[in-house]
């Protein structure tokens, strides 16, 4: 099922609700490469029934790569919410890397790059998360720590998974 909700277009396979949190993948793109990145990535993601979202318009992609973009989310053209084990996650990252190899896209500061020069990046964060109404009247999506407490999903301008996150699936 595909839904547009303004800035993002979401694709969610039927019968596959999102987990609360986990390791997720991001693909970067430029306004010119975005259609190619989307076509190549969507072919893999739809075939293997992974949920994902992408910037719905070229203007949205321009915003994401603009110098005015938030440093913690800049460059994230496409987000993948993998519902799989570590081996399958690594296979997915490799397939997306190969499919988009040679296309231009910026680095994503909040994430670790899958390989040098790759458009594929990853970080630990909220999928569906736990929405909590803040004092300012907006919802913040929180993570659940191993002790059951709620923790912010920090999107800093550097790779910073929570200290309790499962080990990095791409590092030995």
């Amino acid at each position: 099922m595909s839904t547009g909700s303004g800035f993002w277009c979401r694709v969610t396979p039927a019968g596959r609700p999102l987990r609360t949190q986990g390791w997720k993948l991001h693909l970067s793109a430029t306004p010119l490469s975005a259609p190619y990145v989307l076509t190549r990535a969507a072919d893999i993601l739809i075939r293997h029934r992974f949920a994902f979202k992408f910037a719905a318009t070229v203007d949205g992609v321009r915003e994401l790569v603009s110098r005015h973009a938030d440093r913690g989310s800049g460059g994230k053209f496409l987000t993948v919410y993998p519902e799989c084990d570590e081996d399958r996650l690594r296979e997915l990252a490799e397939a997306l890397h190969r499919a988009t190899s040679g296309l231009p896209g910026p680095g994503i500061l909040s994430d670790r790059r899958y390989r040098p020069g790759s458009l594929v990046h990853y970080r630990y964060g909220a999928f569906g998360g736990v929405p909590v109404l803040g004092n300012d009247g907006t919802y913040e999506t929180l993570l659940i720590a191993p002790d059951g407490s709620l923790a912010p999903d920090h999107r800093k301008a550097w790779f910073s998974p929570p200290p309790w996150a499962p080990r990095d699936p791409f590092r030995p």
Side-chain angles (χ1 to χ4, degrees):
M1 175 172 77
S2 175
T3 60
S5 59
F7 191 88
W8 297 107
C9 181
R10 299 173 194 285
V11 179
T12 308
R16 280 231 157 131
L18 287 181
R19 290 190 314 205
T20 303
Q21 61 203 39
W23 290 102
K24 56 186 168 178
L25 303 176
H26 290 110
L27 278 75
S28 65
T30 66
L32 291 176
S33 70
Y36 300 102
V37 171
L38 178 59
T39 300
R40 294 175 185 187
D43 180 56
I44 294 164
L45 298 171
I46 291 169
R47 186 170 358 111
H48 295 285
R49 297 181 38 90
F50 286 107
F52 64 99
K53 72 177 182 182
F54 59 93
T57 66
V58 173
D59 285 340
V61 179
R62 264 193 212 96
E63 271 185 58
L64 291 169
V65 298
S66 154
R67 65 185 174 99
H68 301 293
D70 179 83
R71 310 245 322 141
S73 59
K76 296 177 184 176
F77 163 62
L78 188 149
T79 303
V80 183
Y81 303 101
E83 300 280 342
C84 58
D85 62 26
E86 285 186 5
D87 289 337
R88 190 142 182 247
L89 177 63
R90 287 189 288 270
E91 289 170 7
L92 174 61
E94 180 63 20
L96 292 170
H97 167 71
R98 287 180 185 212
T100 59
S101 182
L103 295 174
I108 298 172
L109 298 177
S110 64
D111 292 24
R112 181 171 279 161
R113 200 180 286 262
Y114 168 65
R115 286 191 179 185
S118 182
L119 297 185
V120 179
H121 300 71
Y122 65 95
R123 70 180 282 272
Y124 189 87
F127 284 23
V130 178
V132 174
L133 185 61
N135 292 336
D136 64 356
T138 62
Y139 281 93
E140 179 180 9
T141 303
L142 300 177
L143 301 170
I144 302 172
D147 66 3
S149 64
L150 297 178
D153 184 9
H154 293 294
R155 293 168 184 90
K156 298 180 179 175
W158 58 88
F159 183 71
S160 61
W164 44 261
R167 76 173 186 79
D168 184 331
F170 297 100
R171 300 284 183 215

